[in-house]
Amino acid sequence: MFCYQCEQTMRTDTLDGCATDKGVCGKDANTSDLQDILIYQIKGIAQYAQLARSVGVIDKAVDDFIQYGFFTTLTNVNFTATRFVNMVQEAAHIRDSIKAQYVAAATAQGKPLVEPAGPAQFQPATDMDGILKQESVAVVNKDHELVGEDVNGLRVLITYGMKGVCAYSHHARTLSYHEDDIDAEIERILAYLTTNPTDIEDLLAQALSAGHLNLKVMDLLDRANNGTFGDQEITQVRVTPVEGKAILVSGHDLHDLAQILEQTKDQGINVYTHGEMLPAHAYPGLKKYAHLVGNFGGAWQDQQREFAEFPGPIILTSNCIIEPAKIYRQRIFTTGPVGWPGVRHIDNGNYAPLIQAAKALPGFKQDEEAKTITTGFGHKTVLGVADKVVDAVKSGAIKHFFVIGGCDGAKPGRNYYTELADKTPDNTIMLTLGCAKYRFNQHDYGNIGGIPRLLDMGQCNDAHSAIKVAAALANAFECGVNELPLSLMISWFEQKATAVLLSLLAAGVKGIHLGPSLPPYLTPNLLAVLSERFDLRVNHSPEEDLQTALGRAVA
Amino acid sequence: MPTHHIQLTTSDGQTLSFACEASEDLITAAEKANIFLAAQCHAGSCGACIAQCESGEFTLGECSTDALNDTDRAKQQVLLCRTFPRSDLTMRLPYAHSLVRFEKIPVREAEIVAKTYLTEDTIKLDLQLLPDDDGNLSLDFEPGQFVELTLPGTDSKRAYSLANAPNWDGTLEFLVKLRPHGKFSSFLHETAIPGMRLTLEGPLGTFILQDNGLRPRYFVAGGCGLASIISMLRRMAEWEEPHPVKLFFGLWSEEEVFFQQELADLAAIYPNLQYQICVTNASASWSGYQGSVVAAFAEALQAEESKPDVYICGSPGLIEGIAEVAEPLGIARDALFYERYIANTPDTEPTRCEVS
């Protein structure tokens, strides 16, 4: 096992990365190795999918598998080794299928056949022990001694960024939104990685291509969410329990939540959102369900305590799951790409077992005093009051904007974002997105002329909203985004945030503060390049970084 | 009275510690610290609390040789309920931290729904749990675990494995072999009727599926040992677990055979499952495997390419028999997962259990 895809990875004097029997996240070596093999195979599928496209063959099921498969390997998504044993074999079949389609079409068109090398040729062993012995060809840093840490770091940056891209794209696909040019670009970049690239400039350009691609994907997901469930509206969300039977829905997938709401309608069960599902309350197509009663709990890393306290079943629809404690393990369900060994998985959209569990479990005995928070400040909502915002900036009432986004983590250093939020001056606005906000989003920061100081834009993919708002403000002030009184404080934890970071860089955003620590695969040389070209900044103390941010030019 | 520091390490590497006086056994001392370890008889006769001593001095009280034999003792294995510290001790537990409880074992009430004779002396007992004080209807257990049923009007308890997979409606199913002169057997046979209430305590036991096991799974059940095994199989079927599965269900005579239809139904919905009903003293007309379950297991294992995980539930003789044939075929005894029934209580009903 070797894995260093997330921020919590083991860091020692001699090695950055998890390389023992079990990663810090709880993933065991077998599962990690199988995931490496799956990623390697999917790159091979992409090689043939790209060739197939060159002869006019597009197989949506292949595109689905590529993106779903990548999603299963994100941090805190799937820990079930048996699922990967099946997927490794399925990947080989899918590779054979797209290869056959390519060969047939190319032959029919009289075109010479291309036989791609590397992952496209990989054949998994038929037994478990044999598959695990094949891991050495697939481990993420296998060539680092050969090509050097900088080249290796950029290859890894692209691979991990593509995991985020695929995860967002998968979310859109569950709502039946997909675009061929996105699928093609995903496959092109994955196939590019199989060429063993070594040119630093080329690798940097491809990393930015992944960022550009993710901008398109986040836009697609934005359209998928708003197109399916209506544009986000400013919404008060209850954060205290209501008497009655209860189900808690965690993760990001609005499609899963919609299905659960529909199936629990009129069943006497209240549905609560958890974590990144909070913004769901702002969509008309979801808030119309009266039994979507509120949001429960805080940041994902608190789930072992909070899930134990929740008196009903809990379902995880995407990241982030951490080891379910015995006390609530029987009450946990997973769906979609998520998995934990010994936890019930639902993969057919029939949530009857979840509903049965909700009816058997006690639920909340009584109402707690009502307390609410506000969400729903998507780009359309914010831009709907753009005139007011622009006037407030021009009058000096608003001095600065902070985008505080990305994903949260368990380490004490994550208090940085709480301190930062608490110390922002009263004449500044915070735009939050992702789960970094759960340490401070129940605090009342007041308002500026009726505009709340904390505007929650949604899930981490709503970085797209932040970019749109920034672009609109830049347009209003007739300046570039980098001249706006705007600072991005990005909390990095896993691969969705890696994709978001690449998107911001691709959009030309400079001066991003990234923390609390940097990805271990960003070598000092790579960091120097990013600092030089994008003014990428490493977190210092909240006070110091606030001072730096507020020292920027004001429009 | 001197007090010693006891440190336990679970199979997944987590540690637990508590203080124990020289006059206390380790199970009792742990419970005083709200650490409820696997245990059942508390008298050295069932083997449920077996552990490996890694360092320190202790005195071991009287133990059944079925529960702890001389070989086990020579390897510094102990039964925690009969272990009295004479120094600080470090011990290794053969099960994971998630199976240690930090609150008392739940006590629940249930109602008899049905009593069905599967054979002349084998009963299927169906119970319906009543909601607990919090309104919970179901029992939170892992397939393979057991509960203790209290004989009404007495303090006597008997351990029976759950044969159903975990569910939310609170229905429980048990397989009970009626023992001549057994108190609980007599109660079930003569007195128990639908509607009667029973008290149960559980879940207990550490004989459970290894969550992340990837290898094929072999299951060996002797008689009513099928209960815990079929609970595991029902869960695997319900979750569509991908492992290839072979079940070897052993009985002495054709008259003892039960659950043929249930196994056929299970295999119909779970194609991964292959099974053999093995009858040792079979007549020529028996269409299943004619011979011992150990022989059937050995034949299958010899033909297997991948070494399977092996789960066994039955008598000590069955466990030993399987261990003896498994070892030369590359599966060490400590790679077997098992629970054994030890019929050594005064009224000859079985107690539990030991797990590797």
Side-chain angles (χ1 to χ4, degrees):
Chain A
M1 168 179 186
F2 179 77
C3 180
Y4 58 174
Q5 66 177 353
C6 75
E7 197 260 349
Q8 67 184 351
T9 197
M10 186 69 74
R11 296 170 198 251
T12 68
D13 290 342
T14 54
L15 180 71
D16 285 344
C18 294
T20 56
D21 290 343
K22 189 183 264 193
V24 174
C25 66
K27 196 170 288 178
D28 65 32
N30 281 354
T31 307
S32 177
D33 291 352
L34 288 165
Q35 291 187 354
D36 283 348
I37 290 168
L38 179 64
I39 290 295
Y40 186 72
Q41 287 180 289
I42 289 176
K43 288 175 181 173
I45 295 172
Q47 289 176 276
Y48 273 116
Q50 194 187 20
L51 284 169
R53 285 178 185 277
S54 72
V55 292
V57 174
I58 297 171
D59 186 336
K60 182 172 169 293
V62 171
D63 305 332
D64 287 344
F65 183 83
I66 288 172
Q67 294 168 35
Y68 174 81
F70 254 56
F71 193 175
T72 60
T73 70
L74 262 70
T75 302
N76 291 345
V77 172
N78 199 318
F79 297 74
T80 308
T82 49
R83 291 262 298 275
F84 290 99
V85 175
N86 288 351
M87 287 181 73
V88 164
Q89 300 302 341
E90 189 180 355
H93 293 310
I94 286 175
R95 184 272 320 273
D96 293 344
S97 164
I98 191 67
K99 177 183 176 181
Q101 293 181 68
Y102 157 65
V103 169
T107 305
Q109 294 168 27
K111 293 187 175 171
L113 292 177
V114 176
E115 186 96 8
Q121 303 303 324
F122 179 81
Q123 196 58 40
T126 53
D127 68 297
M128 190 59 246
D129 294 339
I131 294 172
L132 289 172
K133 282 179 188 154
Q134 294 174 304
E135 198 264 344
S136 60
V137 302
V139 66
V140 68
N141 67 340
K142 67 185 168 71
D143 291 332
H144 74 110
E145 288 182 353
L146 188 68
V147 299
E149 297 299 344
D150 296 337
V151 167
N152 180 69
L154 282 170
R155 290 180 184 177
V156 170
L157 174 67
I158 297 170
T159 296
Y160 289 165
M162 291 303 291
K163 289 192 180 193
V165 171
C166 288
Y168 288 141
S169 183
H170 173 80
H171 286 311
R173 294 174 97 82
T174 63
L175 294 169
S176 302
Y177 278 67
H178 67 95
E179 290 178 356
D180 273 339
D181 63 336
I182 286 176
D183 298 343
E185 180 67 353
I186 287 173
E187 286 150 20
R188 186 196 68 75
I189 293 174
L190 296 184
Y192 163 78
L193 289 168
T194 70
T195 63
N196 300 319
T198 55
D199 184 280
I200 293 280
E201 283 302 324
D202 189 37
L203 280 158
L204 278 168
Q206 295 298 333
L208 293 181
S209 295
H212 279 296
L213 172 61
N214 195 51
L215 287 170
K216 284 187 180 177
V217 172
M218 290 194 296
D219 182 62
L220 177 70
L221 181 52
D222 183 68
R223 283 184 278 126
N225 288 339
N226 290 296
T228 307
F229 303 112
D231 294 339
Q232 288 190 70
E233 299 169 347
I234 298 171
T235 304
Q236 297 292 313
V237 183
R238 182 174 176 129
V239 291
T240 49
V242 176
E243 181 186 352
K245 303 286 185 184
I247 289 174
L248 185 60
V249 185
S250 186
H252 303 70
D253 204 302
L254 300 185
H255 175 65
D256 291 328
L257 176 64
Q259 284 188 304
I260 291 164
L261 286 168
E262 188 59 31
Q263 292 177 31
T264 51
K265 194 170 58 177
D266 304 324
Q267 299 253 20
I269 298 168
N270 293 323
V271 175
Y272 295 78
T273 59
H274 173 260
E276 279 282 76
M277 202 58 90
L278 168 67
H281 293 271
Y283 291 96
L286 297 170
K287 66 191 284 190
K288 70 180 182 186
Y289 292 98
H291 63 298
L292 178 63
V293 295
N295 176 259
F296 180 88
W300 65 267
Q301 70 274 3
D302 295 331
Q303 66 184 250
Q304 284 177 319
R305 176 175 53 80
E306 291 171 348
F307 286 1
E309 293 168 356
F310 190 80
I314 300 145
I315 184 160
L316 287 114
T317 67
S318 65
N319 45 335
C320 296
I321 185 171
I322 53 181
E323 180 168 9
K326 168 67 182 156
I327 194 167
Y328 64 85
R329 183 172 292 208
Q330 196 190 12
R331 294 190 273 123
I332 289 275
F333 295 76
T334 61
T335 189
V338 193
W340 193 282
V343 166
R344 175 69 187 259
H345 185 72
I346 294 173
D347 66 356
N348 58 3
N350 180 355
Y351 294 97
L354 181 76
I355 293 167
Q356 198 182 19
K359 289 179 176 174
L361 290 163
F364 287 104
K365 294 275 175 62
Q366 58 191 31
D367 288 357
E368 276 186 26
E369 186 183 351
K371 186 180 172 191
T372 61
I373 57 174
T374 308
T375 189
F377 295 96
H379 58 91
K380 289 185 181 172
T381 314
V382 174
L383 294 180
V385 292
D387 291 350
K388 204 172 168 185
V389 173
V390 169
D391 287 348
V393 174
K394 285 182 175 169
S395 72
I398 296 175
K399 288 288 188 192
H400 204 87
F401 296 89
F402 293 94
V403 174
I404 302 179
C407 39
D408 201 353
K411 288 184 181 175
R414 295 282 175 177
N415 286 331
Y416 170 92
Y417 295 97
T418 310
E419 283 185 44
L420 184 83
D422 288 347
K423 287 174 177 161
T424 52
D426 290 343
N427 55 6
T428 62
I429 295 282
M430 289 176 274
L431 303 168
T432 59
L433 51 96
C435 56
K437 60 178 172 268
Y438 290 103
R439 287 181 185 273
F440 55 86
N441 72 332
Q442 294 194 15
H443 182 80
D444 182 3
Y445 288 96
N447 66 78
I448 301 174
I451 302 170
R453 285 199 53 231
L454 189 152
L455 303 174
D456 179 32
M457 305 194 87
Q459 299 181 339
C460 50
N461 53 288
D462 289 308
H464 166 75
S465 279
I467 292 169
K468 277 203 163 185
V469 168
L473 287 175
N475 191 41
F477 291 113
E478 297 178 347
C479 68
V481 167
N482 292 317
E483 279 77 56
L484 287 171
L486 171 74
S487 301
L488 286 99
M489 325 301 279
I490 301 299
S491 168
W492 168 80
F493 178 70
E494 45 79 281
Q495 302 77 51
K496 282 182 173 174
T498 304
V500 169
L501 174 66
L502 291 176
S503 291
L504 293 170
L505 298 180
V509 177
K510 294 187 175 175
I512 297 167
H513 292 254
L514 185 65
S517 64
L518 292 176
Y521 45 84
L522 282 186
T523 63
N525 287 339
L526 295 177
L527 190 57
V529 170
L530 294 176
S531 298
E532 181 196 331
R533 297 186 189 181
F534 298 99
D535 193 20
L536 187 71
R537 296 167 186 185
V538 182
N539 282 3
H540 297 98
S541 69
E543 295 84 352
E544 203 176 332
D545 292 341
L546 273 175
Q547 199 171 13
T548 304
L550 293 169
R552 296 185 69 182
V554 176
Chain B
M1 185 66 67
T3 299
H4 302 293
H5 179 78
I6 313 299
Q7 181 168 306
L8 308 177
T9 304
T10 58
S11 63
D12 52 347
Q14 301 198 47
T15 56
L16 304 158
S17 58
F18 56 92
C20 183
E21 291 184 6
S23 60
E24 286 180 312
D25 67 84
L26 297 191
I27 290 290
T28 303
E31 289 183 0
K32 280 185 182 171
N34 284 326
I35 299 171
F36 295 87
L37 304 167
Q40 198 242 317
C41 72
H42 294 86
S45 62
C46 75
C49 60
I50 197 164
Q52 175 71 48
C53 179
E54 298 200 312
S55 70
E57 302 294 324
F58 58 88
T59 300
L60 193 60
E62 190 177 350
C63 301
S64 153
T65 51
D66 275 339
L68 190 74
N69 61 32
D70 291 344
T71 311
D72 298 333
R73 286 172 183 253
K75 288 192 288 191
Q76 291 290 292
Q77 291 192 346
V78 299
L79 300 183
L80 296 176
C81 73
R82 310 298 287 164
T83 302
F84 301 86
R86 294 294 173 261
S87 72
D88 291 351
L89 292 173
T90 58
M91 298 270 178
R92 185 165 288 275
L93 301 174
Y95 49 86
H97 184 266
S98 62
L99 288 168
V100 178
R101 282 187 172 267
F102 297 95
E103 53 193 22
K104 286 193 172 173
I105 310 297
V107 177
R108 300 284 297 271
E109 295 292 311
E111 211 166 79
I112 296 176
V113 175
K115 179 178 81 172
T116 311
Y117 283 84
L118 302 175
T119 69
E120 193 175 299
D121 61 357
T122 306
I123 282 179
K124 179 165 86 77
L125 181 67
D126 292 297
L127 302 184
Q128 172 64 54
L129 274 179
L130 304 179
D132 68 11
D133 292 344
D134 288 329
N136 284 302
L137 189 56
S138 66
L139 181 71
D140 182 2
F141 74 97
E142 291 287 331
Q145 289 191 297
F146 62 91
V147 299
E148 290 184 328
L149 296 174
T150 303
L151 183 64
T154 76
D155 293 332
S156 295
K157 295 174 184 174
R158 293 292 178 269
Y160 293 103
S161 295
L162 292 137
N164 57 290
N167 59 43
W168 293 106
D169 58 14
T171 56
L172 308 177
E173 179 183 320
F174 302 90
L175 300 176
V176 181
K177 180 82 168 174
L178 298 180
R179 309 273 175 183
H181 314 300
K183 284 183 190 171
F184 204 86
S185 296
S186 301
F187 161 73
L188 272 187
H189 180 54
E190 297 163 8
T191 313
I193 54 170
M196 191 173 273
R197 287 198 177 181
L198 294 176
T199 300
L200 61 87
E201 193 170 340
L204 297 158
T206 57
F207 178 58
I208 60 170
L209 289 168
Q210 305 301 298
D211 282 336
N212 230 10
L214 293 167
R215 291 187 286 272
R217 287 175 173 171
Y218 275 25
F219 294 90
V220 184
C224 285
L226 184 65
S228 51
I229 298 291
I230 203 167
S231 176
M232 293 176 175
L233 293 174
R234 284 171 165 165
R235 157 67 73 82
M236 289 182 70
E238 187 183 334
W239 288 15
E240 300 175 356
E241 298 252 22
H243 312 70
V245 179
K246 288 196 170 110
L247 164 67
F248 307 91
F249 177 29
L251 301 134
W252 287 106
S253 68
E254 285 155 71
E255 291 73 35
E256 293 180 350
V257 174
F258 61 91
F259 262 28
Q260 281 170 296
Q261 189 59 50
E262 282 79 357
L263 290 173
D265 292 346
L266 193 58
I269 61 165
Y270 190 38
N272 292 23
L273 171 63
Q274 297 175 16
Y275 69 95
Q276 289 179 300
I277 300 178
C278 312
V279 176
T280 308
N281 300 314
S283 68
S285 63
W286 173 245
S287 59
Y289 185 88
Q290 299 186 13
S292 79
V293 68
V294 174
F297 169 84
E299 286 171 24
L301 189 58
Q302 277 169 339
E304 188 73 58
E305 286 182 10
S306 301
K307 285 179 198 164
D309 286 336
V310 180
Y311 296 81
I312 320 163
C313 187
S315 67
L318 177 66
I319 312 298
E320 289 307 315
I322 293 293
E324 279 175 24
V325 299
E327 191 157 5
L329 295 171
I331 300 177
R333 186 191 170 99
D334 61 7
L336 304 175
F337 305 103
Y338 57 86
E339 179 179 65
R340 60 188 179 184
Y341 289 48
I342 301 171
N344 60 355
T345 51
D347 55 10
T348 74
E349 280 171 334
T351 56
R352 298 285 195 287
C353 320
E354 178 185 334
V355 174
S356 172

